[in-house]
Amino acid sequence: MTLTMGKALNAALRDALREDDSVVVFGEDVGALGGVFRVTDGLTAEFGEQRCFDTPLAESGIVGLAIGMAMNGFRPVVEMQFDAFAYPAFEQLASHVAKMRNRTRGAVGLPMVIRVPYAGGIGGVEHHSDSSEAYYVQTPGLKVVTPATVADAYSLLREAIADPDPVVFMEAKKLYWSKDETALPVRTAPFGTAEVRREGADATLLAYGPTVPVALEAAAAAVDDGGRELEVVDLRTLVPFDDDTVAASVRKTGRCVVVAEAAGFASVSAEIAARVQERCFHSLWAPVLRVTGWDIPYPPPVLERYHLPGVDRVLDTVDRLQWDDAPDPRFLTAGSA
Amino acid sequence: MTTQAEHRMPTAVPPDDPTALLPASEPIRFLNDDGGAAPGDAHGRYQRPPTELLRRAYRAMVVGRRFDAQATALTKQGRLAVYPSSRGQEACEIGAVLALRDTDWLFPTYRDTMALVSRGIDPVEALTLLRGSWHCGYDPIATRTAPQCTPLATHAPHAVGLAYAATRRGEDTVALAVVGDGGTSEGDFHEAMNFAAVFHAPVVFLVQNNGFAISVPLSRQTAAPSLAHKGVGYGVRGERVDGNDPVAVMAVLIDAVESARAGGGPVLVEAHTYRVEPHTNADDDARYRGHDEVEAWKRRDPIARLEAHLRAGGDLTDDDVTAAREAGEAFAADVRTRLAAEPTGDPADLFAHVYAEPTPQLREQARWLAEELDAGEAR
């Protein structure tokens, strides 16, 4: 049946609540309202306020409450409502969620999921469109997962809830309304497995979350544009990272572009480019390039289309992969700020 | 399927008279500064704890103080990386432990090592954090004691979550979260109090107001009439107690814990005490407070006050005092002996407990380090 990603996430929560009494869902507006994106729609009505409930408006408190409940037998799934709203909870995530298993030498694990609707492209005003994944990825002890397809949304969320470790589950807001033919329940590949979404021989596009559809569109356009066959790899989980699939693709194509929405400096895309360079240096015909958002605070909605990596910027960057052995001068500027 | 109405969350009902949430006008006291009876009804509605419990408290306080002194001494020998003393706060440390059942949970700060050892946690395991050999040396589940928390008040919401989860599981567990005066300025303290009240969770917040957050005095921390007054803003009953009066601390904490256990919701207890030692062994307290102030507080010593009180009632003999001191010496000697060896750590542990199963990246790094170590031995 045709299903949106939002509905698939809702179904994953519903099925998890049904199958495991220890699963609880809470956060701001997740109860009667069903979440501002309706991902928790109907859960309180079906399972009652003990299983899906509203909390006071306080993100640190929400994550802190989840830690205590996870220490005492529950599997909390909490919603942060918007990317930038999660920042007050960052200390709980960095100092406690990520470290509890480690500091207690395995005695206390925290099976919990922190759902973070993230990234832009929906016309959100300030503080509603941040790509905050780097903060979580840089924090050892957290798994970081970001689905790009409807089937993955269901499967990865189920896996996140069942995981013995804390998972930051990053939902690209603009994909909530994306649709696909999917029969639920569905199980796709497990954490740590990237997926080749489109085969191609000429260059690899590495994408995750909101940029997977952009990369696929660019790959389709590239055939008409210059006759190039681009391979598109959807990373699916950022931690753990699937080095093998990524390296196999780049070794095959010899060229690589990382496509991500977040600012590029010191980012997940930077990490991926470094990893590819380390593993595939002798297979590369060009430096690994990146297409990212600019290194700016997320812009206001009327300007966001200039910020977000689109198909044109991806194709322009693919063109600079030294197809004629000439390096692009833009990447050779000495001392540029 | 059950109806929604049957699943209503437990919700606190604000009292008709909000002043019922307010603490007594003066800190609760049973003892005066010399250990004699405090005047009038200074103990309010509270009951004096049973004598046998006070005798246990006395012994635990004597042992605890000796342990604390030993730990401070070990920093001078380089055996501990750092130690924040709780000398002078024995009534609070022991009161927190003795108010709890074994099934209850303690959420301590970095200063509450005395409470940990009084709870029966092996002192070497308790000192693992401060020794630098691992972050938490004891098993929190087995000991029902959360890891000691260095960031201020961040453990308070965990106590709320754990206690709320316990009620959901039908257990009568109470969580006691210990916070310092500085910690009450943190957002997490506010969020924890608010959540505890809204979810009517069986949590007792014990604020050890020892006068200073490192060097900053209480007057720079709050403009509230007292820290216990903060409870009323959340719908939490507040109480304040003379934190150097062991009888009063135990009376108030036992009452608070049992009230929470009985479904009365969270309680905030502010204990007025004093940190007679510097913040840690690395601190120079002469920069921010006067010698006379410290000496004045030392004259309100909780152990001396309890000893005088018990002796006056014929409930403590010279032999008991000697036995407590000998127990303290034996405890300290054991700690000294066992911490004489250099701490060791298994490098493989670095990667073992980051996730339940190491990621491929961590497996690779573990192999890399193992190779590094093998090569080092070969050289």
Side-chain angles (χ1 to χ4, degrees):
Chain A
M1 61 184 284
T2 305
L3 201 66
T4 64
M5 182 180 283
K7 291 281 186 199
L9 293 166
N10 179 265
L13 292 171
R14 193 178 297 271
D15 291 351
L17 283 162
R18 200 174 280 144
E19 288 174 26
D20 184 350
D21 285 344
S22 67
V23 175
V24 283
V25 173
F26 56 90
E28 295 154 15
D29 306 304
V30 300
L33 183 66
V36 293
F37 293 104
R38 307 293 182 265
V39 171
T40 57
D41 192 26
L43 300 182
T44 302
E46 182 172 348
F47 298 99
E49 284 191 343
Q50 299 275 350
R51 306 291 306 282
C52 177
F53 54 90
D54 289 323
T55 65
L57 201 162
E59 289 77 9
S60 187
I62 291 167
V63 174
L65 187 82
I67 292 170
M69 291 189 77
M71 287 172 75
N72 203 358
F74 284 85
R75 288 181 176 268
V77 184
V78 302
E79 179 175 301
M80 290 284 101
Q81 196 156 96
F82 283 95
D83 34 62
F85 296 4
Y87 299 149
F90 190 72
E91 185 185 16
Q92 287 293 345
L93 282 162
S95 292
H96 296 294
V97 174
K99 292 177 178 169
M100 189 66 84
R101 178 182 295 284
N102 184 251
R103 67 208 290 225
T104 62
R105 250 190 268 211
V108 185
L110 295 178
M112 55 190 280
V113 180
I114 303 99
R115 291 183 38 243
V116 184
Y118 85 118
I122 62 159
V125 295
E126 194 181 20
H127 302 131
H128 289 72
S129 295
D130 287 14
S131 290
S132 46
E133 65 270 27
Y135 306 131
Y136 308 117
V137 166
Q138 171 63 247
T139 306
L142 301 177
K143 292 181 177 175
V144 183
V145 173
T146 180
T149 69
V150 174
D152 264 357
Y154 179 90
S155 181
L156 292 173
L157 184 52
R158 290 302 304 273
E159 187 175 350
I161 295 169
D163 199 280
D165 286 310
V167 179
V168 179
F169 196 85
M170 308 206 62
E171 300 165 5
K173 288 189 285 286
K174 74 173 184 186
L175 298 184
Y176 276 140
W177 301 275
S178 66
K179 287 183 184 165
D180 212 346
E181 281 290 318
T182 309
L184 299 182
V186 62
R187 272 300 156 118
T188 60
F191 285 2
T193 314
E195 192 75 32
V196 177
R197 297 281 179 213
R198 180 191 172 106
E199 302 260 2
D202 297 331
T204 297
L205 299 181
L206 300 176
Y208 59 91
T211 58
V212 172
V214 176
L216 285 169
E217 207 184 318
V223 179
D224 305 328
D225 209 35
R228 289 184 185 126
E229 291 290 345
L230 304 183
E231 182 146 304
V232 176
V233 178
D234 173 1
L235 299 172
R236 301 173 71 250
T237 64
L238 301 178
V239 180
F241 189 82
D242 184 356
D243 283 303
D244 293 345
T245 300
V246 167
S249 174
V250 177
R251 284 185 192 124
K252 180 177 87 174
T253 63
R255 289 181 169 85
C256 178
V257 174
V258 189
V259 189
E261 246 189 65
F265 189 77
S267 62
V268 170
S269 62
E271 170 65 22
I272 296 168
R275 300 184 83 80
V276 171
Q277 220 103 236
E278 285 167 0
R279 284 163 181 75
C280 308
F281 181 74
H282 293 290
S283 306
L284 286 169
W285 294 99
V288 178
L289 299 183
R290 292 181 290 148
V291 180
T292 69
W294 309 123
D295 294 335
I296 58 170
Y298 197 87
V302 297
L303 293 173
E304 71 178 347
R305 70 180 185 278
Y306 302 107
H307 171 70
L308 295 173
V311 170
D312 289 347
R313 205 184 295 164
V314 174
L315 291 176
D316 283 352
T317 307
V318 169
D319 282 345
R320 289 200 296 273
L321 288 170
Q322 292 185 213
W323 301 96
D324 53 4
D325 289 341
D328 188 295
R330 194 182 309 191
F331 299 106
L332 298 176
T333 314
S336 61
Chain B
M1 199 171 70
T2 48
T3 65
Q4 203 173 323
E6 287 170 288
H7 280 296
R8 297 306 296 189
M9 302 288 291
T11 309
V13 180
D16 295 332
D17 176 12
T19 61
L21 299 173
L22 288 173
S25 56
E26 294 293 328
I28 299 296
R29 302 179 85 188
F30 279 76
L31 307 180
N32 65 26
D33 286 358
D34 301 320
D41 60 350
H43 53 75
R45 60 180 184 78
Y46 294 95
Q47 305 296 313
R48 178 181 178 274
T51 299
E52 193 45 44
L53 198 58
L54 294 176
R55 282 168 49 82
R56 270 180 65 198
Y58 173 79
R59 188 180 169 100
M61 287 168 66
V62 170
V63 173
R65 175 169 296 185
R66 183 64 189 87
F67 163 79
D68 189 85
Q70 182 62 62
T72 298
L74 287 167
T75 62
K76 298 188 172 83
Q77 300 164 23
R79 293 289 172 203
L80 293 183
V82 65
Y83 183 75
S85 171
S86 56
R87 184 184 182 90
Q89 301 178 214
E90 287 85 356
C92 303
E93 297 285 303
I94 307 307
V97 170
L98 291 183
L100 298 177
R101 296 183 187 170
D102 287 347
T103 48
D104 293 333
W105 271 75
L106 178 68
F107 285 77
T109 74
Y110 55 83
R111 196 177 297 286
D112 303 314
T113 316
M114 192 192 292
L116 301 191
V117 298
S118 302
R119 237 200 154 189
I121 293 174
D122 183 289
V124 174
E125 292 184 359
L127 288 170
T128 300
L129 170 74
L130 300 166
R131 194 185 192 194
S133 55
W134 200 260
H135 307 305
C136 176
Y138 51 91
D139 180 341
I141 304 292
T143 59
R144 296 249 165 180
T145 304
Q148 279 177 289
C149 193
T150 309
L152 298 186
T154 55
H155 58 311
H158 310 172
V160 179
L162 186 132
Y164 172 62
T167 63
R168 290 282 304 272
R169 291 156 62 96
E171 297 164 353
D172 64 357
T173 308
V174 175
L176 192 153
V178 187
V179 185
D181 40 301
T184 65
S185 299
E186 294 279 4
D188 274 345
F189 176 74
H190 160 80
E191 297 191 18
M193 292 273 287
N194 193 43
F195 272 60
V198 169
F199 291 123
H200 206 62
V203 182
V204 174
F205 299 93
L206 168 61
V207 178
Q208 292 190 59
N209 174 3
N210 67 7
F212 294 91
I214 304 188
S215 67
V216 179
L218 187 72
S219 58
R220 278 279 171 196
Q221 213 62 247
T222 182
S226 82
L227 296 174
H229 276 82
K230 289 180 180 245
V232 69
Y234 306 105
V236 173
R237 181 167 71 81
E239 188 58 280
R240 49 181 165 170
V241 60
D242 179 341
N244 284 23
D245 174 349
V247 182
V249 171
M250 290 180 61
V252 170
L253 281 182
I254 289 168
D255 177 87
V257 167
E258 293 314 319
S259 160
R261 194 186 317 283
V267 184
L268 166 65
V269 176
E270 177 190 12
H272 295 258
T273 183
Y274 195 79
R275 195 190 73 215
V276 298
E277 296 290 328
H279 168 62
T280 68
N281 52 298
D283 174 34
D284 176 10
D285 62 325
R287 285 170 174 255
Y288 57 83
R289 64 184 184 183
H291 178 74
D292 291 351
E293 180 182 307
V294 180
E295 289 307 308
W297 272 93
K298 281 184 179 171
R299 286 194 289 276
R300 306 180 58 207
D301 184 78
I303 296 179
R305 286 166 80 181
L306 183 58
E307 185 176 327
H309 171 69
L310 289 174
R311 278 183 185 273
D315 297 318
L316 194 75
T317 65
D318 286 346
D319 286 350
D320 294 331
V321 173
T322 304
R325 287 181 186 158
E326 283 172 0
E329 288 306 323
F331 197 90
D334 174 61
V335 171
R336 212 162 45 233
T337 308
R338 291 166 64 205
L339 289 185
E342 285 300 319
T344 55
D346 182 353
D349 272 0
L350 291 172
F351 306 98
H353 306 298
V354 184
Y355 302 95
E357 292 293 329
T359 61
Q361 287 74 28
L362 287 181
R363 286 186 204 282
E364 189 179 307
Q365 290 169 25
R367 272 197 303 275
W368 195 347
L369 177 61
E371 284 166 19
E372 228 173 82
L373 294 170
D374 287 347
E377 278 165 23
R379 264 200 285 272

